[in-house]
Amino acid sequence: MWQSFRVRILLAMLTVAVFSIILLFGINYRSAVLTLEQNYLRTSAENVGTQADRFDEYMSELYHASVYAGADHTLREAAAAYISLDHAGIDDVLGLSTQLKVLCYRWPAVETVYLYLPGKQELLTSEELHQRRTGVSEEQCAWAEETGDFTPVRFLDTMSGSERWMYGYSKPLYNNAGEYFASVCVGIDERTLRYTLLDAADSGSVQYYLVDSDGRLCTPLRAEENGLSPDALLSGAAALPERAETVFGASGDWLYASVKAPFSGIRLLRLTDRDSLQTELDGLRRQFFLLLAMVVGAALLLTWVLVNWLYHPMQSIMQAMEKVGGGDLSPSPEIEQPEEFRL
């Protein structure tokens, strides 16, 4: 009876120890996974910050180009002379378009320059094949009159035959009397930004987005995502803080890192599929299981040593006591330990 009781006590202690070790390893494994994700997110945020700085370099050049264009005396005089014409011919259009094209040569980031003339309801560009569009209403060219802060305006250009989204800055032109008569806008195709900034970093498991100042997706991978809130991609995660320069975290199947470009105010968002970290997680899991097996094996070995050191001498004494109790006074248990078990 006592023997089986002691065996149960030792087995219970061993079971508690093994389960405690497994629980401890499980907690440590989960903590290691979170640490791996956090380290990855911090690295991602640094990469996104680099992309945001490059984006701001483009926007800064566009902004300075717009300021230069708005203060260009030659362009202002040419635009005023064009407006004074009752019937502008092709040579007049070509001459003014050439003036706009000079800005493109001077500022490499500028792809297209637009000149909106509300009095004549015309829109002229620096494009070779699409230099003038007539019958343009103020509603259609409202973007050309947006002269806000450093945040670029995003507008849809339909001049080239195929629609394209542009980023740009506009500046008003005033005549000698100080009256507004035209707007000049310098722009860059958003596809250029994606090809040079985002697509180079994209992969099957990593996706980049631009988020405008209104918190809406722009320059998406798919047209149906245009104008959506980032929450729609982040499976209902909390909205990205407007004032925070850098945010990162996890939501559902995605790891996200977002950095707000300081000059333009446009936010760059990077989404990473959690499955892309599977290789690292598999290696981490193998390490933990190997370490767990080693620790459990060591615990079993230690238990066996303790049983031989503690339980066997006690068992020998108990057997001898049972024989003495039965009237046999001859037994003498053999105990090697020189301490409390020696008779």
Side-chain angles (χ1 to χ4, degrees):
M1 175 180 175
W2 288 104
Q3 177 179 349
S4 61
F5 175 74
R6 288 191 295 272
V7 171
R8 288 197 296 268
I9 289 294
L10 289 173
L11 290 177
M13 294 174 61
L14 177 61
T15 302
V16 171
V18 170
F19 275 102
S20 298
I21 292 173
I22 294 176
L23 179 61
L24 180 62
F25 268 80
I27 295 174
N28 288 336
Y29 173 74
R30 179 57 182 168
S31 177
V33 170
L34 293 178
T35 301
L36 176 64
E37 290 184 349
Q38 288 296 314
N39 291 337
Y40 178 83
L41 286 172
R42 289 188 178 92
T43 303
S44 297
E46 293 177 359
N47 294 335
V48 175
T50 301
Q51 300 299 85
D53 291 340
R54 293 182 60 195
F55 179 84
D56 264 359
E57 290 177 3
Y58 280 92
M59 295 301 106
S60 177
E61 185 171 338
L62 285 180
Y63 178 79
H64 286 91
S66 69
V67 173
Y68 178 87
D72 189 348
H73 178 75
T74 302
L75 177 62
R76 185 169 63 249
E77 292 297 326
Y82 181 86
I83 289 178
S84 64
L85 298 175
D86 294 332
H87 301 285
I90 187 62
D91 292 336
D92 300 312
V93 174
L94 181 60
L96 189 52
S97 179
T98 301
Q99 290 288 335
L100 300 177
K101 195 176 300 182
V102 170
L103 295 174
C104 296
Y105 297 147
R106 183 179 182 87
W107 304 90
V110 177
E111 289 189 355
T112 305
V113 181
Y114 304 86
L115 182 65
Y116 172 55
L117 307 172
K120 296 178 73 70
Q121 292 188 331
E122 291 185 11
L123 180 66
L124 283 75
T125 76
S126 59
E127 296 288 333
E128 288 282 353
L129 301 179
H130 306 279
Q131 297 175 342
R132 180 175 64 169
R133 184 174 180 178
T134 60
V136 180
S137 64
E138 292 186 4
E139 291 77 11
Q140 292 175 311
C141 283
W143 50 267
E145 298 180 309
E146 293 186 20
T147 57
D149 52 10
F150 299 123
T151 301
V153 60
R154 182 171 178 263
F155 58 93
L156 185 63
D157 176 18
T158 59
M159 284 283 291
S160 60
S162 61
E163 297 181 347
R164 58 174 182 167
W165 287 96
M166 305 285 293
Y167 285 96
Y169 292 93
S170 298
K171 294 297 177 184
L173 296 181
Y174 300 95
N175 57 24
N176 294 331
E179 299 174 341
Y180 165 76
F181 72 94
S183 292
V184 59
C185 177
V186 297
I188 184 174
D189 192 333
E190 71 168 7
R191 291 172 295 186
T192 301
L193 295 173
R194 169 160 288 283
Y195 295 154
T196 56
L197 298 180
L198 306 184
D199 280 350
D202 271 342
S203 65
S205 58
V206 179
Q207 300 176 9
Y208 277 87
Y209 295 88
L210 295 178
V211 183
D212 62 22
S213 57
D214 295 327
R216 300 293 175 181
L217 294 178
C218 51
T219 318
L221 291 173
R222 291 167 288 275
E224 60 270 17
E225 295 174 344
N226 189 45
L228 293 178
S229 168
D231 304 349
L233 301 178
L234 297 178
S235 304
L240 298 177
E242 294 183 2
R243 297 184 178 181
E245 296 296 329
T246 303
V247 293
F248 54 83
S251 176
D253 297 332
W254 296 101
L255 303 174
Y256 64 89
S258 178
V259 176
K260 186 176 183 180
F263 177 82
S264 62
I266 299 296
R267 182 174 289 278
L268 272 71
L269 173 64
R270 169 175 170 161
L271 299 182
T272 304
D273 192 344
R274 266 181 163 162
D275 291 340
S276 64
L277 300 180
Q278 197 61 43
T279 302
E280 291 82 355
L281 292 178
D282 288 342
L284 183 64
R285 189 180 299 111
R286 284 193 296 269
Q287 293 179 7
F288 265 83
F289 276 121
L290 179 60
L291 186 58
L292 177 61
M294 294 173 60
V295 171
V296 171
L300 294 176
L301 179 61
L302 180 62
T303 302
W304 181 79
V305 172
L306 289 176
V307 166
N308 287 329
W309 177 76
L310 177 63
Y311 175 68
H312 286 174
M314 293 180 63
Q315 183 184 34
S316 179
I317 293 175
M318 293 302 298
Q319 290 175 353
M321 292 177 63
E322 289 177 359
K323 291 181 179 181
V324 171
D328 184 5
L329 301 179
S330 62
S332 177
E334 296 180 358
I335 301 177
E336 298 179 356
Q337 283 84 348
E339 292 88 12
E340 63 269 18
F341 290 115
R342 178 173 291 278
L343 295 178

